[in-house]
Amino acid sequence: MKKLALVTAVIVTGLLVPAVTPVAAAEGVAAPAAGTIAWAPCPDADPNLGALLKGLECGSVEVPLDYAQPGGQKIKLALTRAKHTVTDDQYKGVVLLHRGQWPGPISRDMPTRYAKGTSGLAKDVGPAYDWIGMDPRGVGASEPSMVCDASYINPLLPDPVPNTAADEQASVARAQAYAKSCGDKYGDTLKHFTTKDSARDLDRIRIALGQEQISYYGIDWGAYLGSVYASMYPTRVKRMVLDSVPSPSGVGYQNQMAKNLTAEHSGGLFFAWVAKYDSVYHLGTTAEAVEEKYNEALGTLPGPCSPVGS
């Protein structure tokens, strides 16, 4: 079944912590000069996002591929900006945006949702900030953009719940081939595409924006990235919203498995509720009957949809 979204928002405001030495300085990594991003109008037709960047400014920041070797290879992070429209005395700084899902994904279009007070924001909130979208390292317009075996999604991801042993073996072989393609194409580069490296990138962006502190809004893995950033750079956080916070003890596959258990339980509660109101929905008078109807409908849909409990 498709998991029911469980959204947990954590808001950090007015963070008060003892002064600490910034991690970047402790690592001896040369930071970009403040306020050095060369902003220019985004193209009307972006290769990845089409017209979604229209009205935004585009820019980029160079960061080390390996923060332990700051003088070595550099990579580029692609950014967008929707500038504040309030007067300087009402300006509240920058908000970095990340929609989550490892290892990205593309988030450069996100400022269009917040800059004008849309997406449920109060009308006086959106115009008061500079909203910064980004493609994290290895994703989208950032360079290099890492693409493994593109045929893995052909055109959809395989069914996560195989129906037979043969289907299971085929799925395992397909996953192994995909992992091998990543290793063959990118080798040792992969070890530098970690959450901590992305958190270091956030601080490089902060410096390049000329900000002492940043605000941040992240979803799913983006929320995890924000929490890691706040742990590494506690004095650099102004306000932070973490939406759908993943557990730090089981990021990735382990978290997905834990979510499955919760989703199954939530689904059962929903089916029971529908059954209680069979006079309205006519899908059955028991949770089991409603679940069977749900699975029948799911089986008619195109793509890798799996029945509950299969």
Side-chain angles (χ1 to χ4, degrees):
M1 61 177 286
K2 292 184 177 179
K3 66 179 181 180
L4 303 177
L6 176 63
V7 176
T8 305
V10 177
I11 304 176
V12 181
T13 59
L15 197 67
L16 299 177
V17 295
V20 296
T21 302
V23 173
E27 291 173 345
V29 182
T36 54
I37 300 176
W39 296 106
C42 293
D44 290 340
D46 181 82
N48 294 313
L49 294 168
L52 293 178
L53 302 185
K54 189 173 182 180
L56 299 179
E57 295 177 298
C58 285
S60 63
V61 173
E62 279 196 345
V63 299
L65 170 66
D66 180 359
Y67 277 91
Q69 302 291 332
Q73 181 181 346
K74 300 295 190 296
I75 60 175
K76 186 178 78 171
L77 307 177
L79 309 173
T80 57
R81 179 176 69 171
K83 288 191 68 175
H84 66 282
T85 56
V86 298
T87 57
D88 288 346
D89 61 313
Q90 296 177 309
Y91 175 60
K92 297 182 180 179
V94 303
V95 183
L96 272 65
L97 302 166
H98 198 299
R99 63 166 43 96
Q101 300 296 330
W102 178 262
I106 294 170
S107 298
R108 286 176 298 132
D109 59 309
M110 288 188 72
T112 60
R113 292 162 170 76
Y114 302 95
K116 297 181 180 179
T118 57
S119 295
L121 290 176
K123 292 182 179 180
D124 61 344
V125 172
Y129 291 90
D130 290 340
W131 297 89
I132 309 298
M134 60 176 175
D135 289 352
R137 58 170 53 204
V139 175
S142 292
E143 298 176 0
S145 180
M146 301 177 70
V147 179
C148 300
D149 182 4
S151 68
Y152 184 70
I153 303 176
N154 189 28
L156 300 170
L157 285 170
D159 192 327
V161 182
N163 294 316
T164 67
D167 289 343
E168 180 179 3
Q169 289 302 314
S171 182
V172 169
R174 190 175 184 181
Q176 290 174 335
Y178 182 81
K180 185 177 184 301
S181 76
C182 291
D184 290 345
K185 291 180 70 173
Y186 302 110
D188 289 343
T189 301
L190 287 173
K191 66 184 180 184
H192 301 301
F193 288 77
T194 68
T195 300
K196 290 185 70 173
D197 285 322
S198 292
R200 295 181 178 101
D201 291 345
L202 290 183
D203 207 57
R204 293 309 137 112
I205 295 171
R206 175 193 64 78
I207 296 168
L209 290 169
Q211 301 290 316
E212 287 295 320
Q213 293 181 313
I214 58 170
S215 296
Y216 179 86
Y217 173 53
I219 307 168
D220 196 76
W221 179 79
Y224 180 65
L225 173 60
S227 67
V228 171
Y229 178 79
S231 297
M232 294 174 65
Y233 305 91
T235 62
R236 300 308 184 190
V237 177
K238 186 175 184 180
R239 296 180 176 92
M240 183 171 282
V241 177
L242 306 180
D243 185 335
S244 304
V245 185
S247 168
S249 62
V251 175
Y253 180 76
Q254 292 177 336
N255 266 3
Q256 286 299 125
M257 295 300 292
K259 287 181 183 179
N260 289 345
L261 294 175
T262 304
E264 289 287 340
H265 177 69
S266 299
L269 295 177
F270 176 70
F271 295 146
W273 182 86
V274 172
K276 182 178 178 180
Y277 297 99
D278 181 60
S279 61
V280 177
Y281 297 104
H282 308 295
L283 293 173
T285 58
T286 66
E288 292 76 13
V290 174
E291 180 178 335
E292 184 176 350
K293 289 290 186 182
Y294 174 89
N295 287 333
E296 287 177 3
L298 198 62
T300 66
L301 299 177
C305 298
S306 299
V308 178
S310 63

